[in-house]
């Protein structure tokens, strides 16, 4: 037999050889550059610097106190927007007119039935941040979201046992917010309202009368105003029950008081001379005597 001839070794194509050499050279160059940066960082004591993130404009704050109504909040929007424009030189998109427009339309609120309700009472009072591009719609949305988060903390079991709806509680909370000055008196004022509703009496509170008739607190109510048939005039003996809507936007403390009034039989309260605390009583004679002694009508 004749042994097979050995095959000649196959040569690698030149193009493949060139590509392999180029790749190896690239790896060496990258490694050299990386090593050079590491050595330079060690010798200079400097770390690699990443560019700082862009500086965002510092937001402004708008504070809505507890007890502000929708119109007062709109006025506060204008005042703060003017400050922002003066300090930054750029006019914000927020304005009283836009805020009033955004809050004018009744809306359905989760947990308050299917009927659209006025936003008075739902515009939660707190501190909110805004920038020049913030719109009134965004601000109102933040207030409604804050209301829902705080309302979720309230147990309505007791109020419901007294046949009060969630909206009734919110209305009572707004009345408490406008009448209470001393924080610890909120549950007592709420109890007076509960008791008078149970007795089918008019509420006899000035704040809703002023709200319905647009009388500022700096002006005295006239006799004709006290006798008005305006549905918010709770000083009129012929008008019983709660007001048609909240008269202000209450904070969580007043909402909790409206849901959990203090125990007591009081039917009347009147402001003491210190203009902070109230005199509470279940006796109409004692109520009248206290008012006469301190010059109230």
């Amino acid at each position: 037999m004749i042994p097979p001839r050995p095959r000649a070794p196959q040569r690698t194509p030149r193009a493949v050889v060139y590509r392999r050499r180029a790749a190896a050279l690239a790896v060496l160059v990258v490694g050299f550059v990386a090593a050079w940066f590491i050595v330079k960082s060690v010798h200079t004591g400097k770390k690699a610097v990443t560019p700082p993130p862009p500086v965002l404009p510092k937001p402004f704050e708008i504070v809505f106190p507890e007890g502000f109504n929708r119109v007062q909040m709109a006025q506060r929007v204008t005042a703060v927007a003017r400050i922002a424009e003066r300090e930054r030189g750029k006019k914000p998109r927020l304005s009283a007119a836009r805020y009033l427009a955004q809050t004018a339309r009744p809306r359905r609120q989760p947990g308050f039935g299917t009927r659209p309700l006025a936003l008075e009472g739902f515009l939660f009072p707190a501190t909110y941040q805004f920038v020049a591009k913030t719109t009134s719609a965004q601000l109102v949305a933040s207030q409604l979201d804050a209301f829902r988060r705080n309302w979720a903390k309230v147990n309505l079991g007791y109020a419901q046992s007294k046949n009060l709806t969630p909206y009734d509680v919110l209305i009572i909370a707004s009345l408490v917010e406008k009448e209470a000055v001393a924080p610890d008196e909120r549950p007592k004022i709420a109890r007076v309202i509960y008791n008078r509703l149970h007795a089918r009496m008019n509420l006899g509170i000035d704040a809703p009368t002023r709200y319905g008739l647009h009388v500022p607190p700096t002006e005295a109510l006239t006799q004709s105003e006290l006798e008005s048939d305006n549905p918010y005039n709770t000083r009129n003996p012929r008008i019983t029950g709660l007001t048609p809507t909240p008269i202000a936007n209450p904070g969580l403390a007043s909402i909790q008081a409206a849901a959990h009034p203090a125990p007591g039989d009081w039917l009347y309260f009147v402001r003491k001379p210190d203009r902070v605390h109230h005199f509470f009583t279940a006796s109409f004679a004692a109520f009248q005597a206290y008012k006469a002694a301190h010059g109230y009508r």
Side-chain angles (χ1 to χ4, degrees), residues 46-274:
K46 293 181 179 179
K47 294 183 178 179
V49 178
T50 56
V55 178
L56 298 176
K58 183 179 179 181
F60 282 93
E61 290 187 344
I62 183 167
V63 181
F64 293 128
E66 297 172 344
F68 261 29
N69 60 37
R70 187 174 70 94
V71 173
Q72 290 172 314
M73 287 181 169
Q75 293 169 345
R76 177 60 59 88
V77 166
T78 292
V80 175
R82 286 174 179 169
I83 294 172
E85 182 178 7
R86 185 169 64 248
E87 293 189 4
R88 298 279 171 85
K90 190 172 182 180
K91 188 173 183 178
R93 297 181 66 181
L94 292 177
S95 71
R98 295 188 186 100
Y99 184 86
L100 287 173
Q102 284 294 326
T103 56
R105 179 177 56 85
R107 308 183 194 183
R108 294 179 180 178
Q109 301 297 333
F112 287 81
T114 58
R115 180 170 62 94
L117 300 171
L119 291 193
E120 192 80 277
F122 295 97
L123 301 168
F124 197 75
T127 299
Y128 298 90
Q129 293 187 334
F130 73 94
V131 294
K133 294 182 179 180
T134 302
T135 65
S136 295
Q138 290 171 326
L139 175 58
V140 172
S142 296
Q143 288 186 269
L144 295 177
D145 180 65
F147 173 83
R148 295 182 191 115
R149 285 186 280 105
N150 282 274
W151 185 262
K153 303 173 185 177
V154 182
N155 185 334
L156 297 174
Y158 179 80
Q160 290 172 339
S161 73
K162 300 299 180 182
N163 297 317
L164 294 174
T165 68
Y167 198 50
D168 292 336
V169 173
L170 186 60
I171 293 173
I172 293 172
S174 75
L175 301 175
V176 170
E177 194 68 81
K178 295 301 292 185
E179 288 296 310
V181 180
D184 61 336
E185 289 189 352
R186 288 188 178 105
K188 297 178 73 173
I189 293 174
R191 173 54 66 185
V192 171
I193 295 172
Y194 271 64
N195 290 344
R196 291 179 78 94
L197 289 173
H198 180 73
R200 300 185 182 280
M201 300 169 65
N202 68 311
L203 297 183
I205 300 174
D206 285 347
T209 303
R210 293 182 180 279
Y211 179 86
L213 298 174
H214 307 290
V215 180
T218 54
E219 297 179 13
L221 290 166
T222 65
Q223 192 60 35
S224 62
E225 288 167 342
L226 294 172
E227 295 173 356
S228 166
D229 288 330
N230 185 290
Y232 289 88
N233 181 21
T234 65
R235 288 289 299 273
N236 187 331
R238 299 186 301 275
I239 299 176
T240 58
L242 294 171
T243 54
T245 69
I247 64 169
N249 296 280
L252 181 58
S254 290
I255 294 173
Q256 292 283 21
H260 306 280
D265 60 354
W266 314 291
L267 289 170
Y268 309 93
F269 66 93
V270 62
R271 190 74 55 86
K272 290 183 178 181
D274 67 3

